[in-house]
Structure formats: structure tokens, C-alpha cells
Amino acid sequence: MAPRPNWKGFLKLSLVSCAVALYPATSTSQRVRFNIINRKTGNRIRNEVVDAETGDPVEQEDRVKGYQFEKGQYVLVEEDELDNVALESTHTIDIEQFVPVSEVDRIYLDESYYLVPQDDMAQEAFAVIREAMREEELVGLARVVIYRREHLLLLAPRGKGLMATTLRYKSEVRKEKDYFDEIENKKIPADMLKLATQILESKKGHFDPDKFEDRYEDALMELIKAKRAGKRPPVISEERPSNVINLMDAL
């Protein structure tokens, strides 16, 4: 079954627009997931929504979103009030600017999506926008509203489609100086640097995602298989690396 799009609307560049759909480019659905079980009965545990003060269950119709402006003080916001502040970009991805991809710091990159034309009429306009970006080696900056929240989008040609990557806002990115300022400026001896670069050269290769398996996921499956078969669960031991004091000795 084909995946359902997260969003449908229009991709717009000046006077050119076309119907498009946005699909998640990644998925975690294959990961092992656990339910919480009552050890005594073997039954699943059901979580209930209760009042934090009284402990009484709260019915669906009595649940409302609240913003805490002071400790224990909330502004209640209804669903229709949230709908009323919906932004204009809800149904349109309007490309506002084009920039060289090298100017986009990778720390701002967030979730990735595939952007595809939604019908036959959209194919040509979509292809024109895609190939113009590819020809000029530029990426587009746009905005989109997904589940009421507006996101910045980075649009880049990828094969026959476009890769749309949401960008974090500047306020969401922590300042590196808060973490790096206390790192000392060390003068690296030339012979030490030469030895280190030799190690890098010996391990140089090309990125191939097929070479990297999810070892934790594999270990979980081995654990589950062993328990189902009534066998003792496997124990994985790994030697912890020591903190190298003399890098020359280690090299």
C-alpha cells in the first residue's frame, strides 16, 4: 500500500504553480516497539488521562490545551481558536528565495520529505522548477504549514523529484560558543598530526548506508528470539576505551 502524504497543496514560484504532495522520506516503523504489561496478569496496561490534582479521570470533551504563563496559571486555548490563527501558507509552498546549498549550515536541517507532483497537469511545471534549480545549482527556501505549525523548507532537486527538508529556526539552535569556548587552543606537533592523518587515510572510503546496520535493533531481536525459545538472553560485552593521555603512544 502506498504511503499517505503528510500534506497536499501547491508549489508556487512567481506565476508558476502546480499541485504537489509531501511524503515523509524516512520512517521508524520498523523499529522494535514495546507495550507496557502487567507482570502479574500478563495483560497490557491502559494509560488513563487524569486530573493531576484530584486524580479523577478526565473525559475527552473536558480536555483543552493550556499555555502556562506562570507556575500553575494557564491560558486555555480552544481548537477553533487555533484554527482561526491558521497561516496563509497552509495550502501553498511559496518559494521565497534561492541560495547556494553551501550557505546552509547543516545544523539547521531537520526532517526530510519527498515532494512530488500530484497529477498529470502538474508534471511539466514541477519539472521546470526542478530543472531550473538543478541547472543553477541552487536550493529554494519556502514555508509550509504542517499540523498547524509553520515550517521553513529547503527544496533541492533529487532524482525526478524534490527533497524538502524542514529547517530549524535560529531560536532553536544553541550557540556553539557556549560549549566550545572552554576548549583549549592546543598547538599540534607536526609529527603527531602526520601520524593521525595517516590513520585517516587508511580508513578513508565512501559513504554506503548498506554497510551500517542498526546493531541495537539487531540485539533487541536476538533478545526477543532467545526469550521466545526459552533460552538465556545473550549478553553483549564491550571493552570501554581508555582516555588516551599520550597520543603518540596510542598512534
Side-chain angles (χ1 to χ4, degrees):
M1 180 182 296
R4 296 180 60 183
N6 275 35
W7 181 93
K8 289 182 178 181
F10 294 89
L11 176 64
K12 185 174 181 291
L13 173 60
S14 188
L15 299 178
V16 179
S17 64
C18 58
V20 293
L22 201 63
Y23 296 87
T26 60
S27 172
T28 59
S29 62
Q30 300 303 314
R31 291 181 181 175
V32 173
R33 301 186 186 279
F34 294 100
N35 295 305
I36 305 301
I37 306 298
N38 184 334
R39 189 187 300 274
K40 294 181 179 179
T41 65
N43 299 327
R44 286 182 58 180
I45 293 175
R46 181 178 64 196
N47 293 325
E48 287 189 323
V49 178
V50 299
D51 188 296
E53 300 298 327
T54 67
D56 297 331
V58 181
E59 300 300 327
Q60 181 65 47
E61 61 269 18
D62 294 324
R63 302 173 195 172
V64 62
K65 289 183 172 64
Y67 173 80
Q68 182 173 258
F69 61 92
E70 290 183 8
K71 187 172 179 60
Q73 300 293 314
Y74 299 89
V75 173
L76 302 186
V77 181
E78 303 292 342
E79 292 297 321
D80 58 345
E81 293 174 322
L82 291 174
D83 290 334
N84 289 336
V85 296
L87 301 170
E88 292 182 358
S89 54
T90 300
H91 301 294
T92 303
I93 297 175
D94 192 353
I95 305 177
E96 302 177 6
Q97 189 179 9
F98 292 94
V99 299
V101 67
S102 59
E103 292 184 3
V104 182
D105 191 329
R106 287 185 297 175
I107 199 171
Y108 287 93
L109 302 181
D110 199 0
E111 297 290 332
S112 293
Y113 297 85
Y114 293 136
L115 190 66
V116 302
Q118 197 173 340
D119 52 43
D120 291 339
M121 292 183 61
Q123 296 277 350
E124 184 176 30
F126 182 89
V128 168
I129 296 173
R130 180 197 65 211
E131 292 308 309
M133 294 170 63
R134 200 191 307 273
E135 179 74 18
E136 295 297 315
E137 298 183 346
L138 295 174
V139 293
L141 297 178
R143 300 173 189 267
V144 66
V145 174
I146 304 175
Y147 305 131
R148 290 179 174 156
R149 174 72 64 177
E150 184 180 62
H151 299 270
L152 295 176
L153 275 187
L154 178 75
L155 301 176
R158 186 179 179 92
K160 295 190 292 184
L162 289 174
M163 174 70 75
T165 304
T166 56
L167 298 176
R168 297 180 178 92
Y169 288 97
K170 184 178 180 180
S171 60
E172 298 175 317
V173 177
R174 294 174 175 173
K175 297 179 180 179
E176 62 185 53
K177 68 180 184 65
D178 294 340
Y179 303 88
F180 296 164
D181 276 1
E182 294 184 6
I183 299 177
E184 298 178 9
N185 291 319
K186 292 285 188 179
K187 184 176 181 180
I188 309 299
D191 54 349
M192 189 180 295
L193 182 60
K194 182 178 179 181
L195 285 172
T197 54
Q198 287 176 356
I199 293 178
L200 267 62
E201 285 291 332
S202 69
K203 292 181 175 291
K204 185 184 293 185
H206 298 281
F207 178 66
D208 180 1
D210 289 336
K211 292 182 178 179
F212 299 95
E213 300 292 336
D214 189 336
R215 295 184 295 183
Y216 179 66
E217 195 78 6
D218 293 341
L220 283 178
M221 289 307 303
E222 290 300 318
L223 168 63
I224 292 169
K225 289 177 182 177
K227 299 207 66 154
R228 288 191 64 188
K231 298 178 180 179
R232 177 176 296 182
V235 177
I236 299 176
S237 60
E238 183 177 357
E239 183 179 349
R240 294 178 63 87
S242 60
N243 189 25
V244 176
I245 303 301
N246 191 320
L247 189 59
M248 289 295 290
D249 290 343
L251 295 174

